Amino acid sequence: SDRHFEATVGDITISVQEGDLTQERVDAVVNAANKRLDHAGGVALAISRAGGRKIQEESDEYVKKSGTLTIGQAMHTGAGKMPCKYVIHTVGPKWHSHGDKDTVKAQLYEALHNVLYYATSRLKATSIAIPAISAGIYGVPVEVCAEQLVLATLKFVHSSPGNNTLRDIRFVNIDGQINRVFVRAFSGSL
Ligand code: ADP
């Protein structure tokens, strides 16, 4: 896929790339899921289609056993036919124009923190591809999304160098406009 930005923090490469998340050759691809793990739209549908039936089946089994997810929670399924090994599902917050923006920001930050922590502690993943969680159907302005995901990433790579297995963190979006906002957010904070 098309690379817009790349930076190295310690021994970790962070990049922003244009492309289809489902085609990334990484250990884990992140899904912007809903609480019911109903992969019916957006990047969730793309992942569910690319991976095949197995992903929705494993998701349904999980919800039947453990209940729905809360905002910011992370869990994983296999990746079916996709080139990655795992899908880490998390639920981002929804944007309400009259709601509390600080809560949404904190939830988005927390969601990515939990995903990165899960990827390294549970899956020992070395590479991960991340979409613009909440910036699609959930309506969070892309600037707000990029700000929080970038903050969570930089904080994570700086605070856990020793026990972090991740070496390659990619932000992947099919939409070039969104990638440009992520590049600006990284450029402004590095
Ligand atoms: P949410 O419901 O959390 O807002 P969406 O799935 O609607 O999540 O959108 C999240 C982002 O994923 C959007 O910026 C959208 O452009 C992007 N997206 C959708 N499909 C893909 C894909 N196949 N690869 C990469 N990014 C995608």
Side-chain angles (χ1 to χ4, degrees):
S1 51
D2 207 9
R3 207 160 263 230
H4 290 264
F5 171 87
E6 192 175 302
T8 310
V9 179
D11 50 4
I12 301 169
T13 303
I14 299 171
S15 60
V16 178
Q17 304 179 26
E18 196 161 322
D20 181 355
L21 190 77
T22 66
Q23 299 310 307
E24 290 295 309
R25 298 188 172 278
V26 285
D27 287 341
V29 154
V30 177
N31 182 22
N34 58 32
K35 291 178 179 174
R36 285 164 286 106
L37 295 176
D38 229 337
H39 310 307
V43 74
L45 180 60
I47 287 170
S48 184
R49 278 199 179 135
R53 197 176 242 135
K54 192 171 176 285
I55 293 174
Q56 188 63 66
E57 281 172 2
E58 274 184 53
S59 299
D60 290 345
E61 242 168 78
Y62 176 91
V63 171
K64 211 166 133 192
K65 241 173 94 179
S66 310
T68 54
L69 271 66
T70 55
I71 294 172
Q73 193 182 338
M75 59 77 71
H76 83 280
T77 64
K81 294 180 285 185
M82 286 186 290
C84 59
K85 292 184 196 150
Y86 309 106
V87 180
I88 302 177
H89 304 264
T90 190
V91 184
K94 287 181 189 161
W95 188 258
H96 302 285
S97 44
H98 302 292
D100 179 2
K101 275 131 186 112
D102 288 339
T103 303
V104 170
K105 288 184 183 183
Q107 286 171 327
L108 205 42
Y109 179 100
E110 184 75 4
L112 189 61
H113 171 84
N114 290 342
V115 161
L116 295 173
Y117 183 76
Y118 191 103
T120 189
S121 65
R122 289 282 302 268
L123 304 176
K124 310 281 175 231
T126 61
S127 53
I128 191 166
I130 304 165
I133 301 162
S134 289
I137 298 162
Y138 279 9
V140 171
V142 61
E143 288 76 14
V144 174
C145 172
E147 176 188 54
Q148 294 308 315
L149 298 193
V150 164
L151 265 175
T153 302
L154 295 179
K155 181 82 184 214
F156 190 84
V157 301
H158 281 122
S159 62
S160 54
N163 43 36
N164 182 3
T165 59
L166 291 167
R167 293 294 172 269
D168 174 355
I169 301 176
R170 309 176 190 178
F171 286 86
V172 180
N173 207 294
I174 38 171
D175 184 341
Q177 293 278 81
I178 287 181
N179 286 327
R180 275 188 276 282
V181 178
F182 273 79
V183 171
R184 237 181 289 136
F186 272 116
S187 307
S189 21
L190 278 167

